[in-house]
Amino acid sequence: MNSLIIYSTTDGQTKKICETIKNNSIYKKSTEIINLNEAFKKKIAKYDRVIIGASIRYGQHNPMVYKFIEKNKDALENRKSAFFSVNVVARKPEKSTPNTNPYIKKFLKNTNWRPDKLGVFAGKIDYPSLSLLNKSIIRLIMFITGGPTDIRNVYEFTNWEGVKIFSQELDEM
């Protein structure tokens, strides 16, 4: 099965998750990973399976994710497909599944695409690498939501075992 994994990332965590999905797949030799901008140039109809991963920044997926899905909706519906969201809200157990994560719910509401498989993974906050403005805004959001606020640290919330399980479930599609 040849697969295409497309990612939209803000700070690189979504790409890292995509690489882990590929590396844990029985189809890794026939899997290609590309960023969303490159995906607009691809004919996805030549792939048996398409997986899209998108990060959240300030409550939004990249608007280009929606444009890509709209442009390729027919091709996506005619093959096995999956979508996963990467967001820090998913660090909370009660918001860490596709059925409970507000960004997956919003995604499904805003698009008429229904992938065969949905996933959600907690992301990462790398305060030291953020600009002063982003650092301040994210720190305020974390303060309000009970998250970590020490800007000297990096906080990785991704459940890598969950990513491996998701990869195995994708192989069973």
Side-chain angles (χ1 to χ4, degrees), residues 51-119:
I51 302 154
I52 301 173
S55 65
I56 291 288
R57 179 58 64 95
Y58 303 135
Q60 304 289 323
H61 287 107
N62 179 338
M64 296 306 288
V65 171
Y66 293 101
K67 288 183 179 171
F68 179 82
I69 291 167
E70 182 179 324
K71 179 183 179 216
N72 293 284
K73 187 170 180 293
D74 290 339
L76 289 167
E77 289 180 344
N78 289 310
R79 62 206 14 80
K80 295 176 182 180
S81 64
F83 175 81
F84 67 90
S85 180
V86 178
N87 55 80
V88 177
V89 168
R91 76 188 187 282
K92 297 181 177 185
E94 69 274 14
K95 295 183 180 182
S96 65
T97 70
N99 292 331
T100 61
N101 187 269
Y103 300 116
I104 291 286
K105 290 178 179 182
K106 185 177 177 181
F107 170 82
L108 292 172
K109 183 179 177 185
N110 290 338
T111 180
N112 55 1
W113 174 47
R114 295 297 178 260
D116 299 304
K117 179 81 178 147
L118 290 169

